[in-house]
Amino acid sequence: MKEKKISEGKTKKIFSTTKEEQLILYFKDDYVLKSGKKLAITNKGKSNGLVSAYLLNYLKSYNVATHFIDQVSEREILVAKLDMLPLEVLVRNFAAGILAERYKVKEGTELECPIIEYYLKHEENEDSMINEDHLISFGHASSDEIKEIHRLSSKINAILRDFFRRRNYHLIDFRIEYGRQNDRIVLGDEISMDTFRLWDLTTDTYLDLERFKRNREKMAEIIDDIKSRLLMESS
Amino acid sequence: MKEKKISEGKTKKIFSTTKEEQLILYFKDDYVLKSGKKLAITNKGKSNGLVSAYLLNYLKSYNVATHFIDQVSEREILVAKLDMLPLEVLVRNFAAGILAERYKVKEGTELECPIIEYYLKHEENEDSMINEDHLISFGHASSDEIKEIHRLSSKINAILRDFFRRRNYHLIDFRIEYGRQNDRIVLGDEISMDTFRLWDLTTDTYLDLERFKRNREKMAEIIDDIKSRLLMESS
């Protein structure tokens, strides 16, 4: 089914398939530090592929429209081709990263209510937070689409937050991307250790992979551990 | 009526009055450059006081709730004391300043539709753009208050944009502040050459005062000219 590579990002490759409207996402082992340095983390691609497939499928069971169709291999998922919005949506439950810094909130503080932030995707500029008016004025999305993105992101957060809590994690924050499919807003991209940050309540540890950058074996171990706990069937 | 100075900012002093619920805003001649350097601009305070009084009163005539009560002198206005929100609201009709830089839009481009941005007011950090979710989560405003602030800001923009257009200016952008009065959202602060940027269609000049910082006489001249054109009664 896999035909040819049509693009390659930091952590994934995208392949066309024999069907025009379907793609294969291939999860790489690369982890990219904030500094831009790339590390190869053993089995990261497999774990991210498995977790992403599992969570996208899980969201589907709650009637969230996603691009997920099927798992092809541990590292590969078959997805519907979307017309992607040039946008990252960041959902925060606890203060971390740039939010903690910028608004002087102590890292790890639980937010009164979840915060949804929008960032324009462009190569160079990491910090390009925008609001709903920008999205409308720049022609990236309609007012109704933005309402739907906000509604969906809140719903996804409620579902995932609960899912992680039952596995003894706090879901600190995560970023997701959306696209259009027949004029409908659909969740795209991945949900994996590259896109969420957790607090492990079992060991009381903040699992931001960046923090373990000096120890690639530890990173591999953390990723494997998260995968195992997330995919255990009992919870 | 004026009692004692209760605070002093970059461009205004605030005085208590014999009435507990009323204040006097006094407009200074100081202009503060982005570098932090202060310049004294002849008659700036008078012009800003006159323009602010005129525009706040003008908005009142369109049923916009403002804190404005009366003009006391050219430099002074009597206002209702509000419980101010720690927030600057920036309304943009044309790309300028940080928006042009950050999103790579050419300075002076007319936006498809106006953009309303929120910034947290704190001393040190100039760039603290936030969105409606932050305001709610940090407890700065309720969801209904934010809707009202957005609605009012759009309305004020429509009124002022038209007012300036009739005087041959494009209203590039302006910042305003709000407060609460008996649980109602009310426009506070000032509307003056310190808070808006114009494009003069007569001379095709972008009137960002910062651009004329090397020439204080020119700045005084521009401010006086804007005041005269804004306050002419014929339009």
Side-chain angles (χ1 to χ4, degrees):
Chain A
M1 294 225 353
K2 201 159 80 177
E3 281 195 325
K4 68 169 196 284
K5 190 171 80 175
I6 52 177
S7 71
E8 178 162 356
K10 288 175 181 170
T11 61
K12 290 194 297 294
K13 296 175 191 171
I14 302 179
F15 293 88
S16 62
T17 69
T18 42
K19 291 193 180 162
E20 167 68 27
E21 70 284 6
Q22 298 184 351
L23 300 170
I24 284 176
L25 305 188
Y26 174 98
F27 292 81
K28 305 197 290 183
D29 282 340
D30 293 344
Y31 182 83
V32 181
L33 297 172
K34 277 181 192 154
S35 64
K37 198 183 159 193
K38 215 185 271 183
L39 306 175
I41 310 293
T42 312
N43 288 329
K44 170 173 163 285
K46 285 184 188 172
S47 293
N48 277 355
L50 286 167
V51 166
S52 225
Y54 189 89
L55 291 178
L56 288 168
N57 207 33
Y58 185 73
L59 290 172
K60 257 188 157 171
S61 74
Y62 283 87
N63 292 314
V64 174
T66 86
H67 67 158
F68 181 74
I69 299 171
D70 203 4
Q71 184 140 20
V72 179
S73 73
E74 286 179 312
R75 289 183 183 275
E76 291 167 308
I77 61 175
L78 182 69
V79 300
K81 194 192 247 177
L82 305 180
D83 171 22
M84 295 303 290
L85 300 173
L87 192 66
E88 287 194 341
V89 180
L90 187 50
V91 185
R92 301 177 178 277
N93 295 306
F94 292 78
I98 206 176
L99 179 126
E101 270 170 50
R102 185 177 284 173
Y103 309 117
K104 289 153 193 159
V105 184
K106 192 165 165 275
E107 189 127 344
T109 309
E110 183 161 7
L111 299 168
E112 278 296 315
C113 50
I115 291 176
I116 297 176
E117 296 173 353
Y118 305 106
Y119 292 85
L120 260 195
K121 279 191 86 153
H122 34 134
E123 303 292 300
E124 314 278 304
N125 197 343
E126 202 195 315
D127 180 17
S128 52
M129 193 166 83
I130 50 174
N131 67 32
E132 302 177 0
D133 286 349
H134 295 105
L135 291 172
I136 295 170
S137 189
F138 295 165
H140 294 316
S142 71
S143 175
D144 283 347
E145 285 177 331
I146 295 162
K147 278 193 197 110
E148 177 63 1
I149 288 171
H150 197 281
R151 190 192 69 81
L152 268 176
S153 302
S154 295
K155 177 175 175 175
I156 291 166
N157 183 41
I159 297 167
L160 292 183
R161 195 175 169 160
D162 190 47
F163 174 91
F164 282 97
R165 190 64 190 74
R166 288 200 308 278
R167 282 148 183 87
N168 227 12
Y169 292 114
H170 275 325
L171 177 57
I172 301 288
D173 53 29
F174 62 99
R175 62 185 156 79
I176 42 184
E177 295 183 22
Y178 291 94
R180 293 184 191 96
Q181 186 184 36
N182 308 323
D183 292 332
R184 194 175 57 143
I185 293 293
V186 171
L187 180 65
D189 202 44
E190 64 181 303
I191 306 178
S192 77
M193 277 72 89
D194 276 334
T195 61
F196 55 67
R197 285 187 284 200
L198 303 178
W199 194 288
D200 187 343
L201 295 165
T202 311
T203 58
D204 203 21
T205 319
Y206 179 39
L207 298 177
D208 181 346
L209 289 179
E210 178 84 17
R211 297 202 166 183
F212 301 93
K213 63 186 176 189
R214 288 180 202 289
N215 188 342
R216 284 199 294 155
E217 277 171 34
K218 180 73 184 166
M219 283 173 89
E221 198 184 291
I222 290 172
I223 289 171
D224 190 60
D225 184 47
I226 294 174
K227 179 205 70 183
S228 305
R229 258 162 76 186
L230 292 187
L231 303 195
M232 59 183 186
E233 279 305 323
S234 57
S235 302
Chain B
M1 292 221 357
K2 201 159 81 176
E3 281 195 324
K4 67 167 196 283
K5 190 171 81 175
I6 52 177
S7 72
E8 178 162 354
K10 288 175 181 169
T11 61
K12 289 194 299 294
K13 296 176 192 172
I14 302 179
F15 292 89
S16 61
T17 68
T18 42
K19 290 192 181 164
E20 167 68 28
E21 70 284 4
Q22 298 185 349
L23 300 170
I24 283 177
L25 304 188
Y26 173 97
F27 292 82
K28 305 197 291 183
D29 282 339
D30 294 345
Y31 182 83
V32 182
L33 297 171
K34 277 182 191 152
S35 64
K37 198 185 160 192
K38 216 185 272 184
L39 305 176
I41 310 294
T42 312
N43 288 330
K44 172 175 162 285
K46 285 184 189 171
S47 293
N48 277 354
L50 286 168
V51 166
S52 225
Y54 189 90
L55 291 178
L56 288 168
N57 208 34
Y58 185 74
L59 289 172
K60 256 189 159 173
S61 73
Y62 282 88
N63 291 315
V64 174
T66 86
H67 67 159
F68 182 74
I69 298 171
D70 203 4
Q71 184 140 21
V72 179
S73 73
E74 286 179 313
R75 289 183 183 276
E76 292 168 308
I77 61 175
L78 181 70
V79 300
K81 193 192 246 176
L82 305 180
D83 171 23
M84 295 303 290
L85 300 171
L87 193 64
E88 284 193 343
V89 180
L90 187 50
V91 185
R92 301 176 178 277
N93 295 305
F94 291 78
I98 207 175
L99 179 126
E101 272 170 49
R102 185 178 283 173
Y103 308 118
K104 289 153 194 158
V105 184
K106 192 166 165 276
E107 189 125 345
T109 309
E110 183 160 8
L111 299 168
E112 278 296 316
C113 49
I115 292 176
I116 297 176
E117 296 174 353
Y118 305 107
Y119 292 86
L120 260 194
K121 279 190 85 151
H122 35 128
E123 304 291 301
E124 315 277 305
N125 197 344
E126 202 196 315
D127 180 17
S128 53
M129 193 168 82
I130 52 174
N131 68 30
E132 302 178 358
D133 285 350
H134 296 106
L135 291 173
I136 295 170
S137 190
F138 294 165
H140 295 314
S142 71
S143 175
D144 283 347
E145 284 176 331
I146 294 162
K147 278 194 196 109
E148 176 64 1
I149 287 171
H150 197 280
R151 190 191 70 80
L152 267 176
S153 303
S154 296
K155 177 175 174 174
I156 291 167
N157 183 40
I159 297 167
L160 291 184
R161 197 176 168 159
D162 191 47
F163 174 90
F164 283 96
R165 190 63 189 75
R166 288 201 307 278
R167 282 148 184 86
N168 227 11
Y169 291 114
H170 275 325
L171 178 57
I172 300 288
D173 52 28
F174 62 99
R175 62 186 156 78
I176 42 183
E177 295 183 22
Y178 291 95
R180 293 184 191 96
Q181 186 184 35
N182 307 324
D183 294 332
R184 194 174 57 143
I185 293 293
V186 171
L187 179 65
D189 203 44
E190 65 181 303
I191 306 178
S192 77
M193 277 73 88
D194 277 334
T195 62
F196 55 68
R197 284 188 285 200
L198 303 178
W199 194 289
D200 187 343
L201 294 165
T202 310
T203 58
D204 203 21
T205 318
Y206 179 41
L207 299 178
D208 181 346
L209 290 179
E210 180 84 18
R211 297 203 166 182
F212 301 93
K213 64 185 175 188
R214 287 181 202 289
N215 188 342
R216 284 198 296 155
E217 277 171 35
K218 181 74 184 164
M219 284 174 89
E221 197 185 292
I222 289 172
I223 289 171
D224 189 60
D225 184 46
I226 294 174
K227 179 205 71 184
S228 305
R229 257 161 77 186
L230 292 187
L231 303 195
M232 58 182 187
E233 279 306 322
S234 58
S235 302

